[in-house]
Amino acid sequence: MKVAVLSFAHVHAAAYLRLLRDTPGVEVLGSDPDTASAAPGEVRGRACAASLDVPYADSYEEAFAWRPDAVVVCSENARHRPLVELAAAHGVDVLCEKPLAATVADGEAMVAACRAAGVRLAVAHPVRFSPAYAAVKRAVAAGDTGQVLAVSGANNGHMPTRARRWFADPELAGGGALMDHTVHIADLLDDLLGARAVEVYAQTNNLLYADEVPVETSGLVTVTYDNGAVATIDCSWSHPRSHPSWGGLELTVVGERATLEMDAFDQKVHGFSERLGRGVELPYGVDLDARMLRAFLFGPDQGGTTVPDGEAALRTLSIVAAGYASAREGVPVPVQTP
């Protein structure tokens, strides 16, 4: 199987290249010609591919001339659409980084293009493959919780501009922390609740790192679903620079009969390094990106987990869009169902 990674703009691109390089039966090719948004010190393009010992194509046209079976789109959010549409035009299945797009209109166009071409459009939400989430989903599906009444979620982390500057560029990213960190939990709830979001109330600010970036760095999003459940999502870039991990994702699910708690990334040994003079975390858990890539390429995992499709990602993007509208207007905003 031949897989091309298009653009290395996203922080996950290098991990995907490594995982694909090391997957038996897979040939990988990288292409990253659009490096104008790269900040000084960011390793992109041929240099990044060479550091990973991955073959490289100087243009996307050359990458498609290689005749890949699938592509992984890791560009800036605003540049997802042209690459996904290019893949659709070549009849190639696509795994697109999250969020689906910077705007709902672009997301709708991407879904339509892939549907018309008869190709798969999947979106990179690896937390669906977390064993902790799988346990929560089984308990809810078995009725152990009764009806889910409320969910409290937090997807916090470092401000990602240390790795890629464009994450705080409103034109390329479509926003800041609300755009970056709402979608993972919104995707889990789309899968878990079997309900549709109908209303969003959100508040944001940029008190954290206000002197560094023009976008919001903190946010709290409240989502009401058509089955009566209410969820809150803390989407802030609130980890200090000294924090030993890049971020985390936690959920508390409150049901009629039970409350469930999960931490998607806490399969780690925590400690303090005298040599480094700071806290350290040593992970021992499963690689969620690896599970997601394998499900995209070869089908659902043993538990039946699949990568969310474009329609699901469009629903989560619609929640984000309503969140921005609510933050601007100061009132709850209906979710425009795609």
Side-chain angles (χ1 to χ4, degrees), residues 52-119:
L52 298 167
D53 195 24
V54 169
Y56 185 77
D58 289 312
S59 69
Y60 296 133
E61 291 76 13
E62 183 183 345
F64 280 103
W66 183 62
R67 300 180 65 82
D69 299 293
V71 298
V72 182
V73 171
C74 293
S75 65
E76 301 89 344
N77 300 340
R79 294 174 176 165
H80 287 177
R81 177 178 174 179
L83 289 179
V84 169
E85 289 179 335
L86 185 61
H90 283 84
V92 177
D93 289 344
V94 189
L95 174 64
C96 182
E97 252 302 338
K98 64 85 190 168
L100 176 63
T103 67
V104 171
D106 278 357
E108 290 174 334
M110 292 158 63
V111 169
C114 290
R115 184 186 298 121
V119 302

Side-chain angles (χ1 to χ4, degrees), residues 149-153 178 182 185-186 189 197-204 219-225 228-235 318-320 322-324 326-327 331-335:
L149 305 175
V151 178
S152 175
L178 194 153
T182 301
I185 291 177
L189 298 182
V198 294
E199 186 178 79
V200 175
Y201 177 67
Q203 292 189 355
T204 63
L220 187 63
V221 182
T222 302
V223 187
T224 303
Y225 290 84
V230 177
T232 60
I233 302 172
D234 179 350
C235 57
S318 297
I319 291 172
V320 172
Y324 277 113
S326 175
V331 296
V333 170
V335 177

Side-chain angles (χ1 to χ4, degrees), residues 167-189:
F167 273 87
D169 182 325
E171 295 299 320
L172 292 175
L178 194 153
M179 177 66 74
D180 188 35
H181 273 181
T182 301
V183 290
H184 277 306
I185 291 177
D187 174 70
L188 294 183
L189 298 182

Side-chain angles (χ1 to χ4, degrees), residues 159 177 203-219 236-238 241:
M159 186 170 68
Q203 292 189 355
T204 63
N205 64 55
N206 69 339
L207 297 177
L208 296 170
Y209 308 106
D211 57 338
E212 297 183 37
V213 297
V215 295
E216 79 283 350
T217 53
S218 298
S236 306
W237 292 335
S238 54
R241 297 192 189 282

